[in-house]
Amino acid sequence: MAGAPGVGPGAGGGGGAAAGLKTYFKTPEGRYKLQYEKAHSAVLHYSHGGKTVSQLTVAYLKEKPASQGSQPSTPSASSGMRSAAARLLGTGNGSKALSFGGGNGASRAVAGSSRVGGGLGTPTGLGGSQGGTNYDGKGTYIVFNAADTLFISDLNSQEKDPLKSIHFSNSNPLCHAFDPEAKEGHDLIIGMGSGDVYSMSLRQQLQDPGRKPVAALHYNKGDKDVSPNGSRCTSVAWVPEREGIFVVSHSDGNLYVYDKNKDGNTDCTFPAVKDQSQFMVAHAKSSKSNPVARWHICQGSINAISFSPDGAYLATVGRDGYLRVFDFSKEQLIFGGRSYYGALLCCTWSSDGKYLLTGGEDDLVQVWGMDDRKIVAWGEGHNSWVSGVAFDSYWSPPSSDGNGENVYRFGSVGQDTQLLLWDLALDEIVVPLRHPSSASPTFSSGSPSTHWDNACPPTGVLQPSPRMRDVPKLSPLVAHRVHADPLSGMVFTSESILTICREGLIKIWVRPEQSENNQQSNSSEFALGPASKDRAITSSNKASSSSFKKLPPVLVT
Amino acid sequence: MVMGASGSKLEKALGDQFPEGERYFGLENFGNTCYCNSVLQALYFCIPFREQLLEYYANNKTPGDAEENLLTCLADLFMQISQAKKKTGVIAPKRFVQRVKKQNELFRSYMHQDAHEFLNFLLNELVDILEKESSAAKDSPQSSSPEKAPNGPVQPLANGVKKEPPVTLVHKSFQGILTNETRCLRCETVTARDETFLDLSVDIEQNSSITSCLKNFCSTETLNAEDKFFCDKCCSLQEAQKRMKIKKAPHILVIHLKRFKYIEQLGRYKKLSYRVVFPMELKLSNSSDDVDTEYSLFAVVVHVGSGPNHGHYVSLVKSHNHWLFFDDENVEMVEEQTLQTFFGTSHEYSGNTDHGYILFYEGLGGKS
């Protein structure tokens, strides 16, 4: 087809060495420093034309039961464009053991054909894979995809190249999710461009020296005749508190619920979707069928999904610009709302399940309240589409008084190559919503949505797009250009922030030292006043200079 | 016959979903006329403009005595497409191209031309013709030629009364109003001057979005040091802030991305292959309206090539929920996701040279 981007050499692929990119950024807590970079070096040398967008999953492997005195692994929530929400763990669960049966009767190996040469021009190689290395022990791993390969890296190793490369011959991996709570068998699921899904054991992949998936199970949604093109997977997620159940969203607006313990290749059909814009749930008729259910969510692509930490609620964002929050067990819509304009691309939950973040094509980050079932604030600061949002569940406000419970730290990354950090102080956000609407009654369109002092909207309603002047605004605490290429995701871990760009380069920004943090807290008296502009905004990029605590916000057209 | 095969292929691809009464025709290239073809396809699928033009032409066409001009040639071409017996095919816009070259020597050579210059020339020429015909229809003795200023300031006449140019079908579709505001930082007086536009030309930055480019277009600029502003109230040069606001949003918003930048050191223009993402929907805030105008993308003129003087133009057009790719004679259906390949590139020396150049957004009726 004319206009398809050609494959050509990319200059300056290595982000860290590129001019203008700093290796640190400052926050009130201190400096975040670039510690490691992870990438498959071959991929960065050849632009694959953006046909796939790299995504990032952090996987925690726990000790095998035979070992004694194991250290509990630290939990984290991962999010990003099309990355699935992993389950949040309390530290008390760290000692939970994994066990593997001698032979997995349900396991069916994928008969992968050997890879045909050429393709995107990526040279073949084992990367950092080492034969015979024992990976029975615990560890933290990074799973990411680029072109037709899935890579696994050691988060805490200085090695830039991945430990493991898994090549898929039929289709490209697009999204993946890891279940740290998997009791047995497979814990890693991968969604493909063809619409198929694979599940496998992360430990088994690390133990095997080859480049093919090991003992992978294959799932397809069965109704290929309905969508002959095989709409691609956009997001995959394990369901928290539901052992072995995972959910896959697709670009045709459908979402499928699978059981990993059932055969993934059954012939099951769901009724055709007559009205593409109508929400509809269909269950498989046979108890042996997999997927067990299909949800038709919206017209157009579902771009990302995210489960609340307790697994009760499922959030989806779509091409039509709507966030939708469902009660997963009851299969009912709880509430939803629209972006200012354009599609929404990413979504995530706070660790207490009270708030959601979304980002999309209007360059805004939206904050939604679960209790009030509506928009709380818009974050302005990105210069391009927002591709990843995440709450920092490891951050606590410097102040130790009661206000601490109402302050959240979250981050966002965008196609503007920027990482933004935000503080959400609910006590200061909520106040303007109690005032009457600033709009004159003469201009009121009469729609209830224009009056933000209205009561909580009823259950099951999708709110229309608010006006720019009606929503409180947030400004970022930090704006930092972290990559040379547009970003696709970010993850907070206990010791660092991970960012990944669309081409597959991962950067690990280590958190400030504890002593430095104490020193900063003592010397700056940060808790007593608004953040110092000199300290808060350190990026050379143009960033918003107004403090989020100054309300009401000035209307910026 | 290749053309017939490709035409029937498109009909097969659409099948039952081929829209009623619609026609998908490629335009023949007469040697570097792709700048013309791509803009024509975008304008043809601007449904309000097409319908108003054909209606005006049907109502005002007098057989025999009417002088041929760019308006009649364009209307003839649109009529030829819309009334073709076949649903798909190829049309040669020979009369139109000859008329363009006759009226503007800039386009007479067989060199590569700028699509945005052509679009500006065409719309302004149509405005001239329509205004002349409108004033001629009034048979007014004061029918001096109105000032040609669709993208310039609205000049008040000597008698103090603004002479509003007649609202032509071009203005109905494409015209918006900008307000240039200058605020003296000493006495806080705001000086406002309105300016009409048929399209917006915005500067671009690497890894940005149309949203941020439009924000920069309307951002505040400080006049200080040697660039101070003479304030009438202070009667002296003062520091000031200058800002552009959209007073009235057009029905069809045309956004021109300034991808060709003059490099002083090289003495020539260079193409900026920056990655600028553009969404399928967009909103503009009006300063004179309480609600934001919502837009939907329906056409993109894409420049292919590494420089301004050699390359190619193609257009992507949305028609009845399908996206079509027009490459001179060739027409094919593409997925909406394909538009993302024309955002641009993050690397300066990439193999990808297809970049979105002119974006066409249509205003949705209901304002949110």
Side-chain angles (χ1 to χ4, degrees), chain A residues 1-125:
Chain A
M1 187 194 77
V7 174
L21 291 183
K22 289 181 180 176
T23 55
Y24 70 93
F25 58 89
K26 293 177 180 174
T27 64
E29 296 83 41
R31 279 192 182 193
Y32 283 77
K33 297 167 187 166
L34 177 60
Q35 184 186 43
Y36 303 131
E37 287 186 0
K38 307 286 182 181
H40 192 276
S41 52
V43 175
L44 292 179
H45 291 164
Y46 297 93
S47 169
H48 48 86
K51 289 175 180 173
T52 60
V53 176
S54 295
Q55 301 296 339
L56 167 63
T57 296
V58 176
Y60 296 90
L61 274 183
K62 292 182 285 294
E63 199 77 32
K64 264 199 159 183
S67 304
Q68 296 295 326
S70 64
Q71 295 282 336
S73 61
T74 318
S76 118
S78 74
S79 75
M81 179 178 173
R82 302 183 205 160
S83 81
R87 174 183 321 208
L88 284 180
L89 291 173
T91 52
N93 291 328
S95 61
K96 195 172 280 189
L98 294 176
S99 64
F100 292 92
N104 191 349
S107 174
R108 181 178 303 181
V110 173
S113 62
S114 66
R115 180 170 172 272
V116 179
L120 294 173
T122 305
T124 58

Side-chain angles (χ1 to χ4, degrees), chain A residues 319 340-341 363 415 467, chain B residues 209 211 275 283 290 336 354:
Chain A
R319 152 78 178 81
Y340 182 43
Y341 58 80
D363 300 1
Q415 298 204 29
R467 293 178 303 177
Chain B
S209 69
T211 302
R275 189 168 192 278
K283 269 184 190 171
D290 195 48
E336 183 181 89
D354 306 7

Side-chain angles (χ1 to χ4, degrees), chain A residues 104-336:
Chain A
N104 191 349
S107 174
R108 181 178 303 181
V110 173
S113 62
S114 66
R115 180 170 172 272
V116 179
L120 294 173
T122 305
T124 58
L126 291 179
S129 179
Q130 307 166 39
T133 307
N134 186 8
Y135 284 100
D136 287 348
K138 66 180 174 67
T140 308
Y141 299 95
I142 296 171
V143 181
F144 62 105
N145 60 288
D148 57 2
T149 310
L150 193 77
F151 299 100
I152 306 173
S153 290
D154 188 341
L155 171 57
N156 297 306
S157 161
Q158 294 186 27
E159 184 69 40
K160 182 172 183 180
D161 281 333
L163 295 169
K164 176 78 179 184
S165 305
I166 302 172
H167 173 251
F168 295 87
S169 54
N170 295 325
S171 183
N172 291 337
L174 298 182
C175 46
H176 28 83
F178 177 78
D179 183 8
E181 281 301 304
K183 295 186 170 63
E184 60 179 271
H186 293 181
D187 47 19
L188 183 65
I189 46 178
I190 300 111
M192 312 294 291
S194 59
D196 298 311
V197 186
Y198 292 96
S199 76
M200 56 186 71
S201 161
L202 176 59
R203 192 183 304 271
Q204 275 187 287
Q205 311 310 310
L206 290 167
Q207 289 170 351
D208 186 87
R211 276 177 47 87
K212 296 177 182 178
V214 178
L217 283 181
H218 172 248
Y219 307 84
N220 71 76
K221 48 190 161 64
D223 53 346
K224 286 186 174 176
D225 51 310
V226 176
S227 55
N229 294 324
S231 66
R232 60 192 163 82
C233 299
T234 55
S235 196
V236 288
W238 293 98
V239 184
E241 311 296 333
R242 293 274 303 271
E243 167 66 20
I245 308 296
F246 63 90
V247 172
V248 183
S249 66
H250 291 259
S251 59
D252 59 359
N254 285 323
L255 179 142
Y256 293 88
V257 184
Y258 291 89
D259 187 336
K260 81 175 185 183
N261 299 309
K262 290 185 176 181
D263 186 350
N265 292 294
T266 57
D267 288 331
C268 75
T269 57
F270 294 101
V273 180
K274 294 171 184 174
D275 186 353
Q276 287 289 327
S277 58
Q278 196 70 36
F279 171 57
M280 184 181 88
V281 176
H283 298 98
K285 289 164 183 172
S286 169
S287 61
K288 294 182 180 177
S289 293
N290 211 6
V292 299
R294 180 199 69 190
W295 299 33
H296 183 74
I297 304 284
C298 57
Q299 180 162 27
S301 176
I302 302 170
N303 289 330
I305 61 177
S306 183
F307 276 97
S308 62
D310 59 3
Y313 302 107
L314 167 67
T316 70
V317 290
R319 152 78 178 81
D320 57 2
Y322 277 97
L323 162 77
R324 292 172 172 84
V325 179
F326 299 92
D327 185 313
F328 187 67
S329 302
K330 298 177 183 173
E331 297 172 341
Q332 285 175 3
L333 177 72
I334 299 297
F335 85 98

Side-chain angles (χ1 to χ4, degrees), chain B residues 54 98 228 332 348:
Chain B
L54 292 177
Q98 285 171 353
K228 282 186 180 178
E332 57 188 77
E348 184 156 0

Side-chain angles (χ1 to χ4, degrees), chain B residues 23-51:
Chain B
R23 298 288 183 270
Y24 298 141
F25 272 76
L27 298 172
E28 196 175 316
N29 189 322
F30 296 110
N32 280 330
T33 57
C34 50
Y35 66 92
C36 188
N37 291 344
S38 56
V39 169
L40 287 173
Q41 296 286 12
L43 290 178
Y44 182 78
F45 286 95
C46 177
I47 307 297
F49 175 72
R50 185 216 294 183
E51 287 176 346

